[in-house]
Amino acid sequence: MTDSPSQRPGKRERLVEAAVRAFHEQGVEKTTLADIARAADVPLGNVYYYFRSKDLLVEAAVEAHCDRLTALTNRLDALPDPAARLKALIEGWVGQRETAARFGCPFGTLATELDKRDDGLDLAAAQVMRALLDWVERQFGELGRPDARALAVELVAAYQGMSVLTNILRDPGLMAAQGARLTSWIDALAGS
């Protein structure tokens, strides 16, 4: 069964999704607008209608990561307690271990690459990471932890570290093992 034209995302949305994937898999510098257009099934000339430059497409990709994070945290907020929310976050990370083994963390790799540029996109990426840290801190705060910010930094740093190691060593099992360790850590902090 094929999608009807009304079910297919618009060209702009397809370009942004293709950019997110290409930047993750190839990096910003190696990805061309032609790569993105081809992956989005959009004629190259149409890319310029939506994005006058590659940097605007990078900015849209960062915004897409922010939107995804917001959607994820909204779904997690529906869970009954903060420990369950944090463990579900970890479970989601571990669920992407095969992708992490091949390409690293979808957002962490982009943020690291943008940090090497001098165009302000690194600041936009930092806002997304701060939003994640703030959400994780709120969860630890709801657990009654006075050290909620430090614990949030520790959890997010642990994820980024295990994502890097999983990628460098091409070992998804490493992320699974570390995810289990983090889940036990959350249980211990929550007094479970």
Side-chain angles (χ1 to χ4, degrees):
M1 177 178 210
T2 59
D3 291 340
S4 69
S6 64
Q7 293 176 326
R8 189 174 186 194
K11 289 179 182 176
R12 185 183 193 287
E13 292 81 13
R14 292 195 326 261
L15 287 165
V16 172
E17 285 306 308
V20 167
R21 278 190 317 276
F23 295 155
H24 181 217
E25 294 173 7
Q26 299 173 193
V28 172
E29 298 310 315
K30 288 184 181 179
T31 300
T32 66
L33 290 178
D35 295 333
I36 294 168
R38 190 171 33 262
D41 193 27
V42 172
L44 179 57
N46 286 14
V47 174
Y48 296 100
Y49 175 78
Y50 298 99
F51 301 98
R52 296 194 188 278
S53 69
K54 184 176 170 182
D55 283 349
L56 291 174
L57 198 46
V58 173
E59 187 175 331
V62 171
E63 289 170 9
H65 279 287
C66 186
D67 292 344
R68 287 177 178 179
L69 176 61
T70 299
L72 171 64
T73 56
N74 286 341
R75 283 192 311 273
L76 294 175
D77 282 337
L79 294 174
D81 66 80
R85 290 179 216 131
L86 290 168
K87 290 191 295 187
L89 177 67
I90 295 164
E91 183 180 315
W93 289 337
V94 172
Q96 295 182 0
R97 65 188 173 277
E98 296 293 334
T99 300
R102 291 186 63 206
F103 307 111
C105 169
F107 186 70
T109 56
L110 177 61
T112 300
E113 187 172 359
L114 294 179
D115 187 57
K116 293 175 176 62
R117 297 167 50 141
D118 191 22
D119 57 9
L121 289 170
D122 58 327
L123 300 176
Q127 289 177 349
V128 178
M129 195 62 76
R130 277 191 197 93
L132 174 59
L133 283 167
D134 291 346
W135 183 86
V136 173
E137 179 181 6
R138 279 193 302 277
Q139 306 317 303
F140 282 119
E142 285 185 35
L143 285 173
R145 297 296 305 205
D147 53 350
R149 187 60 173 191
L151 293 171
V153 169
E154 189 171 346
L155 178 60
V156 173
Y159 165 64
Q160 287 300 320
M162 70 186 194
S163 185
V164 168
L165 287 173
T166 295
N167 177 240
I168 291 170
L169 300 175
R170 302 288 195 264
D171 181 3
L174 188 146
M175 183 169 274
Q178 291 303 305
R181 185 187 63 77
L182 288 174
T183 297
S184 296
W185 177 66
I186 297 295
D187 285 338
L189 290 172
S192 299

